[in-house]
Amino acid sequence: KQEVTQIPAALSVPEGENLVLNCSFTDSAIYNLQWFRQDPGKGLTSLLLIQSSQREQTSGRLNASLDKSSGRSTLYIAASQPGDSATYLCAVRRVGTTDSWGKLQFGAGTQVVVTP
Amino acid sequence: DAMVIQNPRYQVTQFGKPVTLSCSQTLNHNVMYWYQQKSSQAPKLLFHYYDKDFNNEADTPDNFQSRRPNTSFCFLDIRSPGLGDAAMYLCATSIRLYPYNEQFFGPGTRLTVL
């Protein structure tokens, strides 16, 4: 059974510092991994999607790496801003079988606060 | 802009009183999903539709039902809400089931049960 863990559950950094968010998963048989942002009381916004054949993906200040063999992904946010305050969730898409069809398995998220 | 819309954004119901949550999409995606997310927890998949084909997760309570009358709309019906059903309900869509089925989420409906 795939388990996705995000540690720490909460993180506070001063503005300008780089953010490093961790995601680990127990089964390396994944198609891809997706990082989401969730603002309080809101839905999920997709940030980055990394295919299993890729080692990293970049978008602006965001960079996500994937090490499938060790079951880890890291999301880096450069030069953090107060507007980056949110909960960040990772989700892995399992390789399809007769009963899993590649469904998303989420971590519980890391709540980030960037202080001015 | 193409998007996933959920109505209402906030819903208050009484214990045992049926409630329906709505999701619509302008993306013309084949697949629609319903997730339940309780506070500080990971979203939990309840069921999904691939076109008109309904797929229920094994641990989704019978109290939860869904309807998809057409490609654009999907409804979540909670027949007899209990206090434990208070949560954020998220609707998502994707073009296909897998493997590269990036999911796009709506803003969610926050359900309160009194």
Side-chain angles (χ1 to χ4, degrees):
Chain A
K1 182 188 171 189
Q2 177 75 274
E3 294 195 3
V4 182
T5 305
Q6 292 184 251
I7 295 173
L11 184 61
S12 180
V13 297
E15 181 177 3
E17 261 196 27
N18 296 332
L19 275 165
V20 181
L21 305 176
N22 299 305
C23 172
S24 61
F25 47 95
T26 54
D27 186 350
S28 62
I30 64 170
Y31 274 125
N32 51 45
L33 183 146
Q34 199 166 353
W35 280 95
F36 294 89
R37 169 185 172 137
Q38 186 172 32
D39 292 292
K42 302 284 180 65
L44 305 180
T45 301
S46 179
L47 297 174
L48 290 167
L49 185 148
I50 315 176
Q51 305 297 351
S52 62
S53 58
Q54 296 178 305
R55 293 199 56 92
E56 65 179 274
Q57 190 71 257
T58 299
S59 175
R61 293 185 296 113
L62 276 58
N63 174 278
S65 66
L66 175 64
D67 184 343
K68 212 173 65 159
S69 60
S70 66
R72 287 187 298 189
S73 176
T74 303
L75 178 66
Y76 300 90
I77 304 177
S80 61
Q81 304 167 359
D84 295 327
S85 299
T87 297
Y88 293 83
L89 294 94
C90 68
V92 297
R93 185 162 286 104
R94 293 151 58 187
V95 171
T97 64
T98 53
D99 63 352
S100 75
W101 57 265
K103 65 178 69 172
L104 278 179
Q105 185 78 32
F106 281 88
T110 295
Q111 185 178 16
V112 171
V113 173
V114 180
T115 55
Chain B
D1 286 343
M3 54 183 12
V4 182
I5 302 160
Q6 291 188 243
N7 285 304
R9 296 291 312 280
Y10 302 91
Q11 176 74 58
V12 180
T13 190
Q14 292 180 331
F15 183 94
K17 186 174 181 182
V19 65
T20 294
L21 310 182
S22 168
C23 177
S24 63
Q25 53 128 343
T26 61
L27 298 162
N28 204 32
H29 283 175
N30 294 318
V31 192
M32 296 186 77
Y33 311 79
W34 279 104
Y35 290 85
Q36 179 193 63
Q37 186 184 24
K38 296 187 178 179
S39 182
S40 301
Q41 295 184 21
K44 176 181 178 296
L45 182 65
L46 296 174
F47 24 62
H48 75 274
Y49 272 95
Y50 181 68
D51 290 332
K52 289 188 180 296
D53 188 19
F54 176 72
N55 292 271
N56 203 30
E57 291 299 296
D59 56 355
T60 298
D62 292 340
N63 199 24
F64 291 83
Q65 304 286 319
S66 185
R67 297 169 283 134
R68 190 179 186 185
N70 54 52
T71 301
S72 301
F73 283 87
C74 194
F75 300 98
L76 170 61
D77 301 307
I78 309 176
R79 293 192 296 191
S80 183
L83 297 178
D85 297 327
M88 173 74 85
Y89 289 88
L90 299 167
C91 174
T93 73
S94 65
I95 293 175
R96 65 183 67 85
L97 275 178
Y98 73 90
Y100 304 118
N101 57 331
E102 183 174 5
Q103 292 184 21
F104 298 85
F105 283 78
T109 295
R110 168 75 65 187
L111 177 68
T112 300
V113 181
L114 301 177

